[in-house]
Amino acid sequence: MSFDEILRFHGEALALFGSRVHAVRDDQWAGPTPCTEWTVRDLVNHLTAEQLWVPRLVRDGATIGEVGGDFDGDVLGDDPVAAWDRAAVAAVAAFSERGALGRSVQLSYGSRPADAYCTQMTADAVVHTWDLSRAIGADERLPGHLARAALQEVEPYAPGLSASGLFAPAVEPPADADAPTRLLCLLGRRP
């Protein structure tokens, strides 16, 4: 993908997830999600914290050690929707800065190109949009182009994800499964 496509898909994925965050009712924040260890609030907190890392790693060139525990724990505060919105805007801005996608970032598993980090963040937002949608009873459909991009991102390392214990084992998709279904099944979801 070109840098322009990477940025466009990232922005679309965050906007899609954000639309679901805005749809969470007050009585749903403590509800369960397909991520069995997380409530709705935990899931939104996870994605929000991920976005908060982006300016520090991409714009500032900070290392994991330098950021430390700055984004551990609750980053949502009293207004989870506003916290998400601020973090998403900051992440999009950091990745969109001139030359940002050509930089290297220091991640927990070593130095990576920023464009690869952005596509990874896009895939995570796409998958978690489905998780949040299912949790709150919103439309679970994922745009095909975003699902295809996310599938292309995660396919090479998906087998290691379930081995990490952070993802459920892959589920066999139907033979005629579309990209969103294949993506979700690959990551242990049951669409």
Side-chain angles (χ1 to χ4, degrees), residues 110-131:
S111 181
R112 294 277 297 167
D115 63 327
Y117 176 43
C118 188
T119 58
Q120 181 183 36
M121 296 287 283
T122 300
D124 203 41
V126 170
V127 171
H128 286 315
T129 294
W130 182 85
D131 293 331

Side-chain angles (χ1 to χ4, degrees), residues 129-189:
T129 294
W130 182 85
D131 293 331
L132 185 55
S133 297
R134 172 138 305 177
I136 66 170
D139 184 357
E140 296 178 11
R141 289 175 296 175
L142 297 173
H145 67 290
L146 291 180
R148 284 187 294 279
L151 186 60
Q152 182 178 356
E153 167 62 24
V154 301
E155 270 182 322
Y157 54 82
L161 294 176
S162 66
S164 73
L166 299 175
F167 290 82
V171 174
E172 186 67 32
D176 62 346
D178 59 8
T181 302
R182 289 192 342 260
L183 171 68
L184 295 167
C185 289
L186 184 64
L187 297 176
R189 273 72 172 174

